Amino acid sequence: QVQLVESGGGLVQTGGSLRLSCAASGSTFTGYHLGWFRQAPGKEREFVAAINWSKISIYYADSVKGRFTISRDNSKNTVYLQMNSLNPEDTAVYYCAADLRLTTIQRNPRYWGQGTQVTVSS
């Protein structure tokens, strides 16, 4: 099993930057694909970004493309989400996710973090 612990959420100004981290632990992390989702109050949870185990395949939602960057450090079992040019529409609870299948990492991953609040003030 995989346990995910997120950090880095908080309050930032419009146009500012924030870096989220998600540390994974468990018996093994080999082969897991990682992703980020977000959910605002009253809205459905939406896909943000994903990166596969080998760091070759990377996917972004159109709403964050060009502003957010997903990366991972397999030696540290950690995935990052660098968020730049933030605006109030980015305000949401951000969740880290992990799955062994690329077909589900963008849709319904098996493992989820607890979520971290990101608030962008206008």
Side-chain angles (χ1 to χ4, degrees), residues 87-110:
N87 58 69
E89 295 178 348
D90 297 315
T91 296
V93 177
Y94 284 71
Y95 298 90
C96 173
D99 203 286
L100 285 170
R101 299 183 297 173
L102 279 174
T103 54
T104 55
I105 188 61
Q106 317 98 357
R107 174 167 46 87
N108 188 29
R110 180 176 181 179

Side-chain angles (χ1 to χ4, degrees), residues 1-79:
Q1 296 185 354
V2 175
Q3 294 81 45
L4 305 172
V5 180
E6 303 172 355
S7 62
L11 175 65
V12 297
Q13 299 282 340
T14 297
S17 299
L18 200 63
R19 184 178 177 87
L20 304 181
S21 299
C22 176
S25 62
S27 59
T28 180
F29 198 68
T30 302
Y32 279 92
H33 315 297
L34 301 172
W36 290 93
F37 293 75
R38 67 185 184 184
Q39 186 173 24
K43 295 185 177 181
E44 297 289 332
R45 184 175 298 182
E46 64 174 336
F47 169 77
V48 175
I51 184 170
N52 77 334
W53 168 252
S54 62
K55 299 183 287 186
I56 295 176
S57 299
I58 298 177
Y59 308 91
Y60 293 103
D62 290 339
S63 59
V64 306
K65 193 173 300 181
R67 299 188 298 120
F68 291 10
T69 301
I70 187 172
S71 61
R72 65 188 296 171
D73 186 341
N74 289 343
S75 66
K76 298 180 179 179
N77 295 335
T78 301
V79 61

